[in-house]
Amino acid sequence: MPTLIVATSRKDWPFDIPDVEVVDAWDYLTRPDYSDLRGVKVLNLCRSYRYQSTGYYVSLLAEARGHKPLPGIQTLQDLKSPSMVRVFSSELDELIQRSLAPLQSDEFTLSIYFGRNTARRYEKLSLQLFNLFQAPLLRARFVRDGKWQLRSIRAIPGSEVPDAHRPFVAEAALRHFSGRSVPRPKKVRTRYDLAILWNPAEQENAPSDEPALKKFTKAALDVGIATELITRDDYGRLGEFDALFIRETTAVNHHTYRFARKAAGDGLVVIDDPQSIARCTNKVFLAELLRRHNVATPNTIVLHRDNVATAAETLGYPFVIKKPDSSFSQGVIRIKSARALQEHVTEFLGESELLVAQEYLPTEFDWRIGILDRRPLYACKYYMAPGHWQIIRQEKHGRGRYGKSETIPVELAPRKAVALALKAANLIGDGLYGVDVKQSGGTFYIIEVNDNPNIDSGCEDSILRNELYRRIMDVFLDRIERRKAWRPDD
């Protein structure tokens, strides 16, 4: 992606970076040759970003032209919003306290250059602030009032960089513009770039194992999409890509949701999208949604402090209580007695005002129907872990943690199970979902709809094999081209 540095004056950026053009802001705003450029990254280093100033219009018109401005208009608004600064200060509180603890003064100013600082001690804090406030050059002010708080943060032009910092800024810029640290030869000519968000430290509960990630990469190349595995520290690079594929366990109060929100806001194709994450990761929402649309579920109630006493009358023992944001069988407890209910519900209600309580249906396995783009993709039987009532035994590691699995062709799965899964998934959206279905006798019930479902080598792909990965990448390709209104004669 070609890069332009746009400054109020070319003198404001006295560094020579290979393959980066420095442009006068007025030229960028008024010359047709810049407005006609496609696929350009714009670093806006103007002296002012106030509303309707030259700097403001550089970012605004860059977005209108389909360029990738840094900072974007949303970031400019966030920087001016005290409430957003407070929210992000709270979110980074632990890191702020740890980073600034050695300081003796009660005020501190942190200069952030392309996500870095001249002192290694502040590197992680600088990167996280850059990820949240996407501007090349930032200055953050912290005040200690009992504890350290981020009081303000603003984007600065190149002209405000102290002379002593300029060599470091030049090095940080060069590192930033270098982009991918390990260039890889492309086996085929690619038109688009896909970021795959993963967590190398996430092992047993990762949505895809490393062999599956390699298969995604190969399938993407086969359809003309280059891929790169990124982590939470690459938030600031999302603008380099055309699409984002999340292969890390998601949650709303989590960086995965922020990645999805930013990517969607920047016009990237995102699977799974932020709306799907918000809907699927809250079981209270799902319970209410499925009830309203008459989708069959086990007998379910939304549990709260006023109806705890009558839950057993409604559901009968044993029944299951679930934290709204539980995943991988964590925060899901089978309740066998009033004493057990009182013990666990007090803890759970301390974290969430509402819980889900559900009739317990003992089964040998659960159906998992994979849905993509409103079509069934795969069908699996997930058997209960040995000697356990769930498919995962969280307290156990290694052998015996998971029950066995069996994947069958979708065409051979019970038609009622597939139809019910499609009905439930379509209430969420058109992303990639794993719908859990219980079969009791000849009746099927939805347990939940999961965003970001497991796709592991040797399990979900055991029927379609490489075709499974190809179908997912075909959806990405189709959506990217529709988003870009691509035509063969372009």
Side-chain angles (χ1 to χ4, degrees):
M1 181 179 290
T3 301
L4 303 178
I5 289 179
V6 179
T8 304
S9 167
R10 289 187 178 90
K11 296 178 182 178
D12 290 346
W13 185 258
F15 311 114
D16 183 24
I17 307 295
D19 301 319
V20 175
E21 181 183 355
V22 182
V23 180
D24 179 275
W26 194 246
D27 287 343
Y28 177 77
L29 293 177
T30 60
R31 282 175 45 181
D33 49 334
Y34 290 117
S35 64
D36 293 340
L37 288 174
R38 294 292 177 264
V40 176
K41 187 174 183 178
V42 173
L43 272 77
N44 182 356
L45 295 178
C46 288
R47 294 172 189 168
S48 172
Y49 301 108
R50 64 177 174 77
Y51 181 62
Q52 293 190 339
S53 67
T54 299
Y56 176 87
Y57 275 117
V58 167
S59 289
L60 187 70
L61 293 191
E63 292 188 3
R65 293 167 180 174
H67 298 172
K68 300 285 187 180
L70 196 70
I73 292 299
Q74 181 176 319
T75 297
L76 294 181
Q77 298 305 316
D78 288 347
L79 286 165
K80 292 190 294 185
S81 168
S83 62
M84 291 302 296
V85 172
R86 285 194 298 271
V87 167
F88 291 141
S89 178
S90 175
E91 186 172 317
L92 296 178
D93 182 65
E94 183 180 342
L95 179 58
I96 291 171
Q97 306 313 318
R98 187 168 65 248
S99 301
L100 306 188
L103 296 175
Q104 299 300 313
S105 63
D106 290 330
E107 290 195 20
F108 176 66
T109 299
L110 180 69
S111 296
I112 303 164
Y113 306 127
F114 298 93
R116 302 180 64 203
N117 181 260
T118 55
R120 183 171 295 180
R121 182 201 309 169
Y122 305 123
E123 281 269 291
K124 190 165 186 180
L125 178 58
S126 297
L127 178 60
Q128 293 305 319
L129 285 169
F130 173 69
N131 282 340
L132 294 171
F133 297 98
Q134 290 278 286
L137 309 178
L138 290 162
R139 190 157 290 152
R141 178 172 169 262
F142 298 87
V143 174
R144 178 158 50 193
D145 184 10
K147 68 175 186 176
W148 286 103
Q149 294 180 329
L150 176 63
R151 186 58 54 87
S152 65
I153 186 166
R154 67 186 184 92
I156 63 171
S159 58
E160 286 192 30
V161 176
D163 289 342
H165 288 187
R166 288 186 172 239
F168 180 84
V169 172
E171 188 271 330
L174 183 60
R175 179 171 161 178
H176 176 83
F177 292 130
S178 297
R180 297 160 193 180
S181 56
V182 184
R184 299 183 305 275
K186 296 178 180 178
K187 296 179 181 178
V188 297
R189 186 172 179 269
T190 58
R191 289 176 291 165
Y192 305 117
D193 294 290
L194 168 68
I196 300 179
L197 178 64
W198 77 309
N199 180 356
E202 192 177 31
Q203 296 294 325
E204 291 181 320
N205 289 340
S208 286
D209 58 8
E210 292 192 40
L213 294 177
K214 291 178 181 177
K215 292 179 180 180
F216 279 123
T217 296
K218 183 181 184 305
L221 284 173
D222 287 344
V223 299
I225 301 174
T227 62
E228 182 178 353
L229 295 178
I230 66 170
T231 68
R232 63 176 299 171
D233 289 339
D234 292 307
Y235 183 87
R237 298 183 50 220
L238 281 175
E240 299 176 18
F241 300 95
D242 301 295
L244 172 67
F245 188 24
I246 299 178
R247 290 282 85 196
E248 179 178 357
T249 303
T250 55
V252 170
N253 189 22
H254 193 248
H255 66 269
T256 49
Y257 183 70
R258 290 197 300 273
F259 267 74
R261 279 287 304 271
K262 176 171 174 53
D266 287 352
L268 278 68
V269 172
V270 188
I271 295 179
D272 274 309
D273 60 276
Q275 179 173 274
S276 293
I277 294 173
R279 290 178 171 182
C280 289
T281 55
N282 193 292
K283 292 176 172 55
V284 172
F285 174 89
L286 283 173
E288 193 71 8
L289 181 73
L290 297 174
R291 181 196 62 79
R292 184 164 68 89
H293 290 275
N294 298 313
V295 177
T297 65
N299 193 8
T300 302
I301 62 173
V302 174
L303 193 66
H304 48 80
R305 62 174 61 91
D306 294 333
N307 67 354
V308 168
T310 60
E313 297 175 18
T314 305
L315 302 175
Y317 291 115
F319 63 91
V320 176
I321 61 171
K322 305 177 181 181
K323 293 181 182 179
D325 57 355
S326 57
S327 61
F328 291 101
S329 300
Q330 300 177 91
V332 179
I333 303 293
R334 184 171 55 172
I335 302 298
K336 298 181 179 180
S337 66
R339 180 177 177 181
L341 174 62
Q342 192 59 44
E343 176 186 345
H344 291 291
V345 82
T346 301
E347 174 196 347
F348 282 18
L349 287 175
E351 298 179 25
S352 174
E353 294 286 343
L354 302 176
L355 308 171
V356 168
Q358 195 166 69
E359 173 189 7
Y360 172 58
L361 293 178
T363 56
E364 184 183 359
F365 62 86
D366 285 349
W367 286 103
R368 166 64 67 87
I369 308 298
I371 307 290
L372 174 63
D373 205 26
R374 303 189 188 277
R375 293 190 294 268
L377 184 64
Y378 60 84
C380 291
K381 291 181 178 179
Y382 291 166
Y383 288 83
M384 303 304 148
H388 194 54
W389 62 281
Q390 296 170 293
I391 63 175
I392 304 175
R393 193 164 195 157
Q394 281 292 347
E395 70 275 10
K396 193 173 181 64
H397 298 278
R399 188 178 179 87
R401 175 178 169 85
Y402 289 93
K404 67 177 183 178
S405 64
E406 178 188 355
T407 304
I408 66 173
V410 170
E411 296 79 10
L412 299 182
R415 293 176 61 185
K416 289 181 180 179
V418 175
L420 188 64
L422 273 171
K423 181 178 180 181
N426 286 345
L427 296 176
I428 302 297
D430 61 0
L432 175 63
Y433 310 109
V435 185
D436 293 338
V437 183
K438 273 196 181 293
Q439 179 177 358
S440 182
T443 306
F444 296 89
Y445 303 93
I446 296 293
I447 300 300
E448 58 192 39
V449 182
N450 302 278
D451 69 302
N452 196 30
N454 277 67
I455 296 179
D456 287 310
S457 179
C459 183
E460 289 79 10
D461 67 358
S462 61
I463 296 297
L464 291 176
R465 301 186 183 276
N466 292 337
E467 176 64 17
L468 176 68
Y469 304 94
R470 175 64 179 256
R471 289 185 186 183
I472 293 172
M473 289 303 134
D474 280 339
V475 170
F476 270 109
L477 178 63
D478 178 66
R479 292 185 181 186
I480 292 170
E481 291 187 336
R482 282 193 282 119
R483 184 72 56 90
K484 293 179 176 292
W486 180 87
R487 298 184 302 275
D489 57 349
D490 278 354

